Amino acid sequence: MGLELYLDLLSQPCRAVYIFAKKNNVPFEFKHVELFKGQHYREEFGKVNILKKVPALKDGVFTLAESTAILLYLSRKYNTPDHWYPSDTQKRARVDEYLSWHHTNIRGNAGKALWIKVLIPLFTGQTLPPEKLQEVMDELAISLKQFEEKFLQDKPFIVGSEISLADLMAIVELMQPIGVGCAIFEDRPKLSEWRNRVEEAVGKELFQEAHEIILNIKELSNIQIDPQLKEHLAPVLRKMMK
Amino acid sequence: MVVELFLDLRSQPCRALFIFAKKNNIPFEFKDVELLKGHHLSEEFGKVNVLKKVPAPLIHCLSPQHLTSACYVPCSDIAILLYLSRKFNTPDHWYPSDLQKRARVDEYLSWQHTTIREKGCKIFITKVLVPLVVGQPFSPEKLEEAVEELNSALKQFEEKFLQDKPFIVGNEISLADLVAIVELMQPVGCGCDIFENRPKLVEWRSRVEEAVGKELFQQAHEIILNVKNMSTTQLPPELREHVKQFLKP
């Protein structure tokens, strides 16, 4: 039994893991955990990740959660090219620094647009007032400003002249609002150029493949939501709607 | 080359750095930054930390910390801890070279941002910081909400990360335990004893304290354990205004 990666490409961190594994020819079995079907709440998956989240990794009897941890594990085990997580102490620290900040800034904000525009209406039948979306986009704008000023600056990539795990984690998040029509790259030429560089470094085909679901998310309006999932999410949704 | 650590021991991440550096005899110059006095807003500080981390109740509660060494400045405590461990070749158990053990540390350090850290912070903000800044008593409903959220996180901490092991990764203390313990001391410092009725957690805490060294542990936590001594009079008005804008109602 080889490496198994439990993923749903609707999820940003899953895309990062997917792209990384594919790009580096890491042999793995794609285990589809369909979030809309509530499969992440099933007992079976709970044995892989008790936190009930994707992505998750299973390597023999070893299981691992958290995309950052998974990416680092894969980079070490499969000896991926140095630029992903540079051995140079200072460059490496730059990646660590970004990955740390990412959690509570980009990751916190970028995904909300999908919830507000698509998921909450899908789950509750209610649409939220436009101010809600504006609020979320304003917060994201602050993070994007910091991203450009502090992390990207005038460099081609976050750490320097080559793509690293930092860029990968960032890009997949920023594609989430794109999927629901929030053109965050518009009027941000620097960010836009960076995005193009990242796409190219990843490989356009792989990038498109990974993002197919999110870029066609509007087709999900007819999807059947698992009733148990609705129940699980009710408190979270209530909070987000406040 | 001297490592300068700009720290305010009221901040959890700052404590982790302080303990780690001291425990490993990393030579450093302690630069005391009193966040509530607005030191971090000074121009000098700003040169070091572009983010000028403020008491951003966003998530990091009172956390500007950085290291200057040949003009290189990472601004995340996790990044700094890892950097120090590599640069100063600290004992393996802190960040084990074993692939799976190392992954477990990474896993915890990643997960904790939006769980233990965020929720522990929220309690501190709700109970201490907001009243300090707005001059009104804390909201019991908000505190209860924050405590409940932390309780959820603690449950996951015990079930998934600690389980029946002495430390998060196994038999020895690692960066994961260090980062966890300083976060959990934050609510304790403001009178929310999250260790009460959690014997497994209490035992783990004792082990961590011992592994760190009780004296060092106490030293790092002295300020936060006396945080009730913080009063509105200590907060300069300009700073109060500045911080207010970051505090959500």
Side-chain angles (χ1 to χ4, degrees):
Chain A
M1 187 186 33
L3 178 72
E4 295 171 345
L5 293 176
Y6 291 73
L7 311 168
D8 182 332
L9 297 181
L10 179 65
S11 141
Q12 309 87 302
C14 284
R15 293 198 290 270
V17 170
Y18 180 77
I19 289 173
F20 186 74
K22 281 259 170 179
K23 179 73 182 172
N24 289 290
N25 298 310
V26 171
F28 71 94
E29 199 184 323
F30 185 114
K31 299 289 241 184
H32 196 193
V33 179
E34 288 185 70
L35 295 174
F36 279 128
K37 293 191 178 154
Q39 287 178 352
H40 49 309
Y41 288 113
R42 305 271 161 83
E43 210 183 302
E44 196 59 40
F45 181 66
K47 293 181 193 155
V48 176
N49 185 7
I50 198 176
L51 298 170
K52 302 183 172 54
K53 290 197 170 160
V54 284
L57 169 154
K58 189 159 188 275
D59 195 0
V61 296
F62 179 65
T63 57
L64 188 64
E66 294 293 317
S67 53
T68 304
I70 294 172
L71 288 167
L72 291 172
Y73 177 81
L74 292 177
S75 76
R76 287 162 186 147
K77 181 162 178 161
Y78 295 92
N79 247 315
T80 54
D82 190 68
H83 63 82
W84 288 111
Y85 195 53
S87 40
D88 172 82
T89 335
Q90 291 194 3
K91 284 189 174 165
R92 180 165 287 198
R94 284 255 171 270
V95 178
D96 290 333
E97 189 185 36
Y98 177 75
L99 292 178
S100 197
W101 178 84
H102 172 89
H103 279 283
T104 52
N105 291 274
I106 299 290
R107 175 121 182 85
N109 295 321
K112 284 184 186 164
L114 175 69
W115 281 93
I116 306 254
K117 274 187 113 173
V118 175
L119 298 179
I120 288 176
L122 200 62
F123 281 98
T124 65
Q126 286 177 51
T127 39
L128 293 178
E131 301 86 64
K132 256 302 187 179
L133 182 65
Q134 193 52 53
E135 206 180 289
V136 159
M137 295 312 290
D138 287 343
E139 271 177 38
L140 181 58
I142 296 175
S143 297
L144 288 176
K145 190 164 181 281
Q146 286 187 330
F147 178 78
E148 285 187 296
E149 286 175 8
K150 155 76 188 167
F151 293 99
L152 194 53
Q153 296 171 358
D154 289 312
K155 297 167 276 153
F157 297 98
I158 293 171
V159 165
S161 49
E162 287 182 280
I163 191 175
S164 70
L165 292 179
D167 305 280
L168 186 57
M169 286 292 272
I171 197 72
V172 294
E173 284 295 333
L174 297 183
M175 292 304 289
Q176 206 79 341
I178 298 291
V180 294
C182 296
I184 53 150
F185 292 107
E186 208 177 282
D187 298 334
R188 287 190 176 98
K190 208 204 273 195
L191 209 65
S192 192
E193 280 163 27
W194 165 78
R195 172 205 169 158
N196 291 338
R197 281 191 292 267
V198 174
E199 264 195 70
E200 208 162 311
V202 160
K204 286 193 191 268
E205 211 179 291
L206 174 56
F207 191 86
Q208 285 308 310
E209 190 194 315
H211 287 92
E212 203 178 321
I213 294 186
I214 191 64
L215 291 174
N216 292 296
I217 193 85
K218 298 211 172 111
E219 287 165 25
L220 283 178
S221 48
N222 303 323
I223 202 169
Q224 288 283 18
I225 306 292
D226 179 71
Q228 267 198 325
L229 178 63
K230 268 196 204 180
E231 239 179 83
H232 273 290
L233 287 178
V236 173
L237 293 172
R238 268 197 297 270
K239 213 173 167 203
M240 288 193 89
M241 288 165 76
K242 253 200 255 168
Chain B
M1 177 210 36
V2 176
V3 161
E4 295 174 333
L5 288 178
F6 292 74
L7 308 171
D8 179 333
L9 296 181
R10 284 169 200 81
S11 146
Q12 320 84 292
C14 289
R15 291 197 293 275
L17 284 169
F18 179 79
I19 290 173
F20 187 73
K22 282 255 169 182
K23 180 72 183 173
N24 289 291
N25 297 311
I26 292 172
F28 72 96
E29 212 178 303
F30 184 114
K31 300 282 221 186
D32 199 357
V33 177
E34 281 194 68
L35 290 164
L36 291 181
K37 293 206 173 137
H39 288 182
H40 58 295
L41 298 175
S42 74
E43 222 183 284
E44 204 200 306
F45 190 91
K47 285 183 205 142
V48 185
N49 183 350
V50 170
L51 283 174
K52 262 193 187 174
K53 281 231 181 96
V54 241
L58 305 178
I59 301 303
H60 287 140
C61 185
L62 313 185
S63 69
Q65 65 285 317
H66 34 279
L67 153 84
T68 58
S69 109
C71 304
Y72 168 63
V73 186
C75 298
S76 129
D77 58 307
I78 306 284
I80 301 173
L81 284 168
L82 291 171
Y83 178 84
L84 292 177
S85 76
R86 286 162 187 147
K87 194 170 173 110
F88 293 93
N89 248 317
T90 53
D92 191 69
H93 63 82
W94 287 111
Y95 195 53
S97 38
D98 173 80
L99 206 64
Q100 293 188 0
K101 284 187 176 169
R102 180 165 288 197
R104 285 272 166 260
V105 177
D106 291 332
E107 192 187 44
Y108 180 76
L109 294 180
S110 178
W111 175 82
Q112 59 94 32
H113 282 285
T114 54
T115 52
I116 299 284
R117 171 164 289 182
E118 184 180 314
K119 311 308 176 187
C121 234
K122 211 168 164 184
I123 290 177
F124 180 73
I125 289 168
T126 308
K127 210 174 175 201
V128 176
L129 204 60
V130 170
L132 196 65
V133 169
V134 304
Q136 279 165 36
F138 70 84
S139 150
E141 298 83 44
K142 289 218 162 168
L143 183 64
E144 201 184 312
E145 193 185 301
V147 170
E148 247 178 69
E149 286 175 4
L150 183 60
N151 284 340
S152 263
L154 286 173
K155 189 165 183 281
Q156 288 184 324
F157 178 77
E158 286 189 284
E159 281 176 10
K160 150 83 185 165
F161 294 96
L162 194 53
Q163 294 171 13
D164 291 313
K165 298 166 278 158
F167 297 97
I168 292 172
V169 166
N171 291 323
E172 288 184 278
I173 191 174
S174 71
L175 291 178
D177 305 278
L178 182 58
V179 168
I181 197 72
V182 295
E183 292 295 337
L184 294 180
M185 293 303 289
Q186 202 76 351
V188 172
C190 36
C192 291
D193 191 358
I194 50 115
F195 290 100
E196 206 179 320
N197 297 325
R198 287 194 175 96
K200 206 204 274 196
L201 218 59
V202 169
E203 282 164 27
W204 164 78
R205 169 192 170 169
S206 302
R207 282 191 290 269
V208 173
E209 270 194 60
E210 208 164 311
V212 160
K214 284 192 195 270
E215 209 178 293
L216 174 56
F217 191 86
Q218 284 310 310
Q219 187 189 18
H221 287 91
E222 200 179 320
I223 296 185
I224 196 64
L225 291 174
N226 291 299
V227 85
K228 287 179 191 141
N229 298 332
M230 276 164 45
S231 71
T232 21
T233 53
Q234 289 178 8
L235 204 64
E238 326 82 64
L239 182 58
R240 206 178 299 169
E241 282 317 305
H242 183 94
V243 174
K244 247 189 201 168
Q245 54 178 304
F246 291 103
L247 297 180
K248 287 193 189 146

